[in-house]
Amino acid sequence: MKTRIALIAHDKKKDDMITLAGEYRDFLATCELTATGTTGGRLINELGLAVERKHSGPFGGDLQIGALLVEGLIDCVIFLRDPMTPQPHEPDINALVRACDVHNVACATNLSTAHLVLSQLQAQASAAAQAAA
């Protein structure tokens, strides 16, 4: 079964998301990826990743991903948040992070945590592939 990862980035963090995804591109290419609108478009156009795009965050994309998470269809959320800029859809953001806590789904909200989570998932996938060989 493929690892199912949601990728979300606020406007000022989108470049960071592209850099991060580029570093883990080979691993992410083996995963089922879901992303909010603009972030997903950039991942597709700039890195050639296969991504299921949802609406942009302010138009309900965070809630769409939250619904997938509640249904058990997301294994991990990488949500690069911009803590210095007020977000008009802050309640949706809080609901998504809360859903991660309620459903015990890993949620990385900054680059340091994202690197830790992705490197661990990558190592687990590599170990599973070696065991199957």
Side-chain angles (χ1 to χ4, degrees):
M1 176 184 256
K2 291 183 175 186
T3 304
R4 301 163 298 184
I5 301 175
L7 301 166
I8 307 164
H10 285 150
D11 288 344
K12 291 184 179 178
K13 299 293 182 174
K14 289 191 192 316
D15 289 342
D16 289 341
M17 177 63 80
I18 297 305
T19 301
L20 176 73
E23 292 174 32
Y24 292 92
R25 191 201 171 291
D26 291 342
F27 167 64
L28 291 173
T30 69
C31 300
E32 284 185 26
L33 303 177
T34 303
T36 49
T38 307
T39 301
R42 288 192 61 185
L43 291 165
I44 293 165
N45 294 331
E46 296 177 38
L47 299 176
L49 291 168
V51 179
E52 178 184 348
R53 290 175 65 194
K54 300 297 183 187
H55 292 295
S56 291
F59 294 98
D62 300 332
L63 293 173
Q64 288 177 302
I65 289 174
L68 292 172
L69 187 146
V70 168
E71 294 296 324
L73 301 175
I74 297 290
D75 301 314
C76 169
V77 175
I78 305 296
F79 189 166
L80 299 184
R81 298 172 64 185
D82 176 6
M84 303 308 286
T85 303
Q87 301 296 326
H89 61 293
E90 193 70 32
D92 298 347
I93 296 163
N94 291 337
L96 176 59
V97 173
R98 181 178 179 279
C100 288
D101 291 342
V102 168
H103 295 279
N104 200 31
V105 171
C107 179
T109 60
N110 60 55
L111 281 172
S112 294
T113 310
H115 279 288
L116 288 171
V117 169
L118 289 173
S119 63
Q120 180 63 32
L121 290 172
Q122 184 176 34
Q124 288 175 345
S126 178
Q130 289 176 355

